Amino acid sequence: MSAEWKLNSHLASDTVNIGDLPLSRVLIIKDSNYPWLLLVPRRAGASEITDLNEVEQAQLMTEINRVSLALKDITKPDKLNVAALGNMVSQLHVHIIARRTSDAAWPRPIWGVVPAIGYDPVEMDAFKTALRKKIWLD
Amino acid sequence: MSAEWKLNSHLASDTVNIGDLPLSRVLIIKDSNYPWLLLVPRRAGASEITDLNEVEQAQLMTEINRVSLALKDITKPDKLNVAALGNMVSQLHVHIIARRTSDAAWPRPIWGVVPAIGYDPVEMDAFKTALRKKIWLD
């Protein structure tokens, strides 16, 4: 764990950076099918939640709660989906997705169901600003 | 939240009960395609992680870690998948799944990919006993 943490290149190219919480980088996935965020703990070499120590795990839960509440408040979803999978990209990352019963994949999980649709730049900017404000990243 | 907690009937019929941790009931999903556990916090009315208070959230993370480590130790997976989705059953439940690069759904998430295959009773009994021992439910 002595190496420096660096965001995985696939995660970097699929996302817009919102800012850093004490443990995790907060990212928006560039897919307007769903309001879809990632939390990426800045710990080199971590691929599982169990790779974090107890303090980091507690902090990750705090950040999941904080970001979930912000996403919920902004998007008023029918359900949140929270998941650490990592089958394609092993760098530990937690998906937080606002689901609607009218969305493209409902009630299935979203992964691999429909191709990503890019954001309108104005819409992305508004989402980013609202999130930064609600998560207290400003 | 004054109502008494009761395990959702769909979750009950799909699982074998392993025992109770301080917050969550631990269950094995009856699908031998994957070593697949559920943690169900015994809190009436909770459907999101954000429905738990701060202490319960921290305890949930502690239990996720404890059960993940046990599952990892017993099954030696290539990856763990940890997820709170709840699109079909809204009662809050956390999936902890041991994934292998050779399993039926890899690298996709497991939900809805292949039909469940029942366990051999001897195999289920061995899995249950190993889990109870590792999670310290004995």
Side-chain angles (χ1 to χ4, degrees), chain B residues 48-73:
Chain B
E48 302 287 359
I49 290 171
T50 56
D51 292 334
L52 302 178
N53 68 33
E54 202 178 346
V55 174
E56 292 164 340
Q57 289 178 1
Q59 179 61 27
L60 178 59
M61 183 56 93
T62 298
E63 296 181 0
I64 288 171
N65 183 60
R66 183 164 158 187
V67 171
S68 295
L69 288 175
L71 186 61
K72 209 173 156 181
D73 203 43

Side-chain angles (χ1 to χ4, degrees), chain A residues 48 57 65 80-82 84 87, chain B residues 57 65 80-82 84 87:
Chain A
E48 303 287 1
Q57 288 177 2
N65 183 60
L80 291 176
N81 289 174
V82 178
N87 304 342
Chain B
Q57 289 178 1
N65 183 60
L80 292 175
N81 289 174
V82 178
N87 303 341

Side-chain angles (χ1 to χ4, degrees), chain B residues 12 16 38 42 64 79 104-105 110 114 119 124:
Chain B
V16 169
L38 293 184
R42 298 188 305 282
I64 288 171
K79 189 72 192 70
I110 57 161
V114 295
Y119 271 86
M124 169 57 90

Side-chain angles (χ1 to χ4, degrees), chain A residues 47-52 54 57-58 60-62 64-65 68-69 72 78-90 99 106-109 111, chain B residues 47-52 54 57-58 60-62 64-65 68-69 72 78-90 99 106-109 111:
Chain A
S47 66
E48 303 287 1
I49 290 170
T50 55
D51 292 334
L52 302 178
E54 202 178 345
Q57 288 177 2
L60 178 59
M61 183 55 93
T62 298
I64 288 171
N65 183 60
S68 295
L69 289 175
K72 209 172 158 182
D78 297 305
K79 189 74 193 68
L80 291 176
N81 289 174
V82 178
L85 305 178
N87 304 342
M88 312 288 272
V89 171
S90 68
R99 302 298 308 274
W106 186 267
R108 289 166 293 175
W111 299 278
Chain B
S47 66
E48 302 287 359
I49 290 171
T50 56
D51 292 334
L52 302 178
E54 202 178 346
Q57 289 178 1
L60 178 59
M61 183 56 93
T62 298
I64 288 171
N65 183 60
S68 295
L69 288 175
K72 209 173 156 181
D78 296 305
K79 189 72 192 70
L80 292 175
N81 289 174
V82 178
L85 305 179
N87 303 341
M88 311 290 272
V89 171
S90 69
R99 303 297 309 272
W106 186 268
R108 288 167 293 175
W111 300 278

